[in-house]
Amino acid sequence: MVSKINLTYLLSAICSIVMIGQSVDQKVADLLSKMTLEEKIGQMNQYNGFWEVTGPAPKEGNAKEKYEHLKKGWVGSVLNVRGVDNVKRIQEIVVNESRLGIPLLFGSDIIHGYKTLAPIPLAESASWDLKAIENSARIAAIEASSTGVNWTFAPMVDISRDPRWGRVMEGGGEDPFLGSAIAKARVNGFQGNDLTANNTIAATAKHFAGYGFSESGREYNTTNVDDYTLYNVALPPFKAAVESNVQSIMNSFGLYNGVPATGSKKLQRNILKGDWNFKGFVISDWASIMEMTLHGHTTDLKEAAEKAAIAGCDMDMESYAYIKHLKELVQEGSINENTIDEAVSRILKVKFNLGLFDDPYKYCNADREKDLLFNSKHQDAALDIAKKSIVLLKNDTKLLPISKQDRIAIIGDLADDKTSPLGSWRIGSDDETAISVLEGFDKLGIPYQYEKGCTLINGKTEFTQELSINTNNKTGFTEAIELAKKVDKIILVLGEHGFISGEGRSRTDLGLPGVQQQLLEEIYKVNSNIILVLMNGRPLTIPWAAKYIPTILETWQLGTQSGNAIAEVITGKYNPSGKLPMTFPRSVGQIPIYYNQFSTGRQEKQPHVFWSHYIDEENTPLYPFGYGLSYTNFEYGKINVSITADGISASLSIKNTGEFSGEEIVQLYIQDIKSSYVRPIKELKGFEKIYLEKGERKQVKFSLTKEHLGYYTPEGKYTCEAGEFNIMIGPNSRELSTVKINIANFN
Ligand code: GLC
């Protein structure tokens, strides 16, 4: 007589044999047909973790109820649960105790690394090095997956033109072409080429869509993005992510055409799931379903659940809207169960794609967690991209690179800070794990004297709390000034504490926070040989420094290997090659300021006031998009442009005419001179990073096709119009050589 246990094994063996031949879609349909309505809704329900190791007992909410829901299979995913033991314990509850044993997704904000932190994404974007950016995401996935995480809420691909918004640190800058290329690289890095592998994780492109246009740069503020800007600026990086098979999309806290993005059918169903044929699932942002009532779009949580589900938001993060109200909404006929089935199918499909049904514990190998986190290979990669992310903004008197004969002072609180370089999104990492600037110099054996100069913030701070910035305590000034008098060069490290930029950290003043500007000016009075090293999470307005300080190095927040990267650049071991992914304004009053602006009817300076300008500021930025210097010089040759069968070919030679070998990021821009819908005065449509030895010359060639030369109408129709185009090539968006060409028609 076959025992009960043998019968169970026999049945599961038969099921798995049957499933082997099935496609993922067939497996999804087969599983869906077995699910009750509550179990389906459970897949759409995500709880936040903060679980006790002794068992799932979230510190927030009703721990017992969440535990019961796990056992009933009424939870599809959790976020903020990390560590093999924690993940395994919770996965076992669901797999062993719920009726169908559908494995959980374990999501987390792995934005730019896990234990090993790469530079913040805005810094990485300054490298324009797509291979290095992809590798950085690959390492993040390897480390995160070793701790049980199988899904990241990254890459953030919000284009933004407003550095007052603290989350610019998290994205790819102001340009949709660069932003799209980086989105693709990051998705490919996280997801790899085999999602069933245990070192690849599902990625999430966020925040869909237009969050980067938060009005006046104020966090969570309303967003007003017209359709023409939406299609041509905000959406392209998301489309690139979808074309790279991104497994999920997170919607946005903002509005779109007067409707919260979470409840926008046009965004989520018409564009994303319709036009783009997105096959993954949409997750809400934290409580964004509930917040539709606060927006004034829904009466209560039940109506919010109804509108979000119908609009195409498949999973509920921390509103408890779906788990509380969807069953009733289906039973009363307000929502068709097909809507639930479509959402659940998308979620199950990602779980099958990840191989979770074959092995729910594939990410739960304690040995991998021990061997892979923070290993030397990951440190090397972090150092490589950190160096490439540094942008040399000024070096007028060639204070850089320093020489062995230079008597050096290093001054600044941030020079000795081992946490701020990790940025604000360091959820899997540990404080005090970044290499400081001082440590970087120690490692290279460079002698220096150090003074703090001033403190940046009062007391300690943490991820969720406001910072208390020191705005009046000048303790340390005197010692720093005395030291400055005694040396040849001062390396002055100033900028933002790690929690001054990031989510929830908008600023109205983008100058050096606290008393740092005063320190800078006091030191300048006694010794002007200052190398200003900026550590910040966003473009800053530093007009005084730009005018008086001879050397300025933009080092952002470079992650774990920060100090080593900075020391290697300052000593000339690495020749800086980064270029700005976002414009640096002269003043906050110019914002939004960006390179790819439209012309106006009064662009040219006039002998009277009636032209487009300010009476108290220039129109131009302090440093433009794509700008960055090198220790060497690159000479750009004449541009050769020709019409080809499918577009335009442009080429030129670049020669290294300086004293150092180095990399140059050659940029190609176009201008569609006359068009049914006006086009920007320039648009980045190509870039190539090349390495040239001293005296070496190389040819660089670009091919432009219809996909480069067209645009989207406000209705979202991609259009190419024949006519004249300016083709521009140069080292940044301001210094460009131009050739005009006429395209008679687009066949
Ligand atoms: C936050 C962010 C989002 C993040 C989510 C989970 O509010 O907007 O980017 O992924 O909540 O932490």
Side-chain angles (χ1 to χ4, degrees), residues 101-286:
I102 299 174
L104 292 171
L105 287 170
F106 287 81
S108 198
D109 293 284
I110 312 303
I111 308 295
H112 56 105
Y114 187 80
K115 273 285 180 278
T116 303
L117 284 183
I120 57 173
L122 186 65
E124 282 194 340
S125 305
S127 74
W128 297 49
D129 188 325
L130 300 177
K131 281 196 175 59
I133 290 170
E134 180 172 341
N135 186 50
S136 171
R138 185 87 292 278
I139 288 168
I142 289 167
E143 290 202 359
S145 60
S146 77
T147 71
V149 171
N150 52 37
W151 176 30
T152 179
F153 305 131
M156 184 273 226
V157 301
D158 299 315
I159 296 297
S160 184
R161 297 157 161 176
D162 194 332
R164 292 172 296 184
W165 187 49
R167 296 194 78 165
V168 295
M169 54 73 64
E170 195 176 340
E174 72 187 42
D175 177 70
F177 184 84
L178 179 62
S180 299
I182 290 172
K184 186 167 179 246
R186 285 185 172 141
V187 169
N188 292 339
F190 287 126
Q191 297 190 164
N193 50 28
D194 176 5
L195 267 176
T196 63
N198 66 3
N199 66 2
T200 59
I201 58 179
T204 309
K206 67 185 185 182
H207 305 79
F208 196 69
Y211 185 21
F213 288 81
S214 291
E215 207 162 74
S216 61
R218 197 178 84 222
E219 187 62 280
Y220 312 126
N221 198 8
T222 192
T223 43
N224 286 310
V225 191
D226 62 273
D227 282 347
Y228 192 45
T229 305
L230 180 82
Y231 278 107
N232 288 290
V233 181
L235 289 183
F238 287 97
K239 192 168 188 291
V242 168
E243 288 163 356
S244 305
N245 190 34
V246 73
Q247 294 292 292
S248 67
I249 294 275
M250 184 182 292
N251 58 37
S252 159
F253 290 123
L255 297 182
Y256 167 63
N257 276 354
V259 172
T262 302
S264 170
K265 204 169 178 178
K266 177 172 178 183
L267 283 179
Q268 298 170 116
R269 288 204 185 281
N270 302 1
I271 296 174
L272 181 63
K273 297 175 177 178
D275 299 345
W276 296 355
N277 195 23
F278 172 60
K279 294 296 185 193
F281 66 87
V282 177
I283 180 171
S284 78
D285 202 338
W286 187 294

Side-chain angles (χ1 to χ4, degrees), residues 109 173 358 389 422 536 558 593:
D109 293 284
D358 300 329
S389 303
L422 302 176
N536 43 296
L558 290 172
I593 181 170

Side-chain angles (χ1 to χ4, degrees), residues 45 47 64-75 94 98 323:
N45 178 38
Y47 284 149
K64 189 166 176 358
E65 183 186 59
K66 287 185 176 182
Y67 187 52
E68 289 309 313
H69 288 178
L70 278 177
K71 290 198 289 184
K72 289 179 180 171
W74 292 4
V75 184
V94 170
S98 73
I323 196 71

Side-chain angles (χ1 to χ4, degrees), residues 671-673 709 721 723-727 739-741 743:
Q671 179 186 12
D672 184 347
I673 294 169
L709 299 168
E721 292 184 14
E724 287 188 320
F725 286 79
N726 279 329
I727 307 300
V739 171
K740 185 181 287 188
I741 190 162
I743 297 186

